[in-house]
Amino acid sequence: MATNPPPPAPPGAPGFPGNYPTPTPGRVEPRRGAVALWVLVGVSTIVSITALVLGVIAVGNSAQAPASTPPASEVPASAVPILFDDDADRALCEALPDLMRESTSRRNAFIATPADSPERKAAIPRFKTESEDWANRMQQILAANAEPDRYLTRTLQRYIDDVLLYSQNTYPERPYDRFDDDTWDLAVVDYGGALGRCQQLGIRWQ
């Protein structure tokens, strides 16, 4: 007796083509969400570390950076040394001739005596006293005409110091020292600086 084949399974029943179980969103999405969360945490950590490193570098650079200097236009004019000021130089030069002649005369008379001679040794105490007195008077004149600081005031100050240095290093009881000649020659050079500048302004003492 022939048997009838079993009726086909209704749609949705087990074994019906296309009705095999498929992964549901609840089983996959949590895994993807966890991976995305860890990726986000990792990126945030890297960004934070990078920002921290850059901040430390910036602080270090700012601490090591030298203090900025103001542009030349902001430097006070009074702080910049100058070479010449005709009005100020003329006023100073007019006060110099008598004192410069006095210094030249005394110094020439002193070295006219032979080194280590009795005449030179006898002249030393007076030479020292008169040189110091002259330096004091010269310093007062220079102080009254010291502004602005300029070439003439600087070279004249050196001359005063050279004259005083030479006389202070000369002693009757000490033998002649050839190195004193260097001090003498330096005074001559600085004397020429003041002489030349005053002659430019028409004031002479030689």
Side-chain angles (χ1 to χ4, degrees):
M1 182 177 65
T3 60
N4 295 325
F16 187 79
N19 288 334
Y20 290 101
T22 58
T24 61
R27 293 179 182 177
V28 177
E29 291 304 325
R31 184 178 300 171
R32 294 178 179 173
V35 173
L37 178 60
W38 282 110
V39 171
L40 180 60
V41 171
V43 171
S44 299
T45 302
I46 293 174
V47 172
S48 299
I49 294 175
T50 302
L52 179 61
V53 171
L54 293 177
V56 172
I57 293 175
V59 171
N61 290 339
S62 63
Q64 296 176 0
S68 59
T69 56
S73 59
E74 296 182 9
V75 177
S78 58
V80 180
I82 64 173
L83 293 180
F84 309 115
D85 184 313
D86 287 352
D87 292 338
D89 286 352
R90 185 174 290 104
L92 177 55
C93 287
E94 289 174 348
L96 295 180
D98 289 342
L99 284 171
M100 297 300 273
R101 292 191 192 102
E102 176 188 331
S103 174
T104 301
S105 176
R106 178 174 51 255
R107 283 161 51 84
N108 289 341
F110 181 75
I111 64 170
T113 57
D116 279 337
S117 66
E119 293 82 6
R120 171 76 64 90
K121 291 183 179 298
I124 288 177
R126 181 177 178 180
F127 177 76
K128 291 168 68 74
T129 300
E130 291 181 350
S131 294
E132 184 174 350
D133 175 71
W134 173 89
N136 282 326
R137 286 179 285 138
M138 281 289 295
Q139 199 68 58
Q140 293 175 8
I141 291 176
L142 182 58
N145 296 272
E147 297 296 336
D149 178 42
R150 56 200 187 276
Y151 169 78
L152 179 57
T153 60
R154 292 190 292 269
T155 190
L156 187 59
Q157 181 65 70
R158 288 195 301 269
Y159 177 64
I160 296 171
D161 293 342
D162 294 340
V163 169
L164 192 59
L165 178 62
Y166 181 87
S167 67
Q168 291 294 307
N169 286 339
T170 303
Y171 300 93
E173 65 276 10
R174 194 185 74 179
Y176 163 76
D177 187 345
R178 66 179 182 83
F179 291 106
D180 289 341
D181 291 344
D182 295 336
T183 306
W184 181 277
D185 293 341
L186 185 59
V188 172
V189 172
D190 292 330
Y191 172 93
L195 176 66
R197 176 55 182 157
C198 290
Q199 286 181 345
Q200 290 177 347
L201 299 173
I203 300 171
R204 314 177 71 91
W205 55 79
Q206 281 190 350

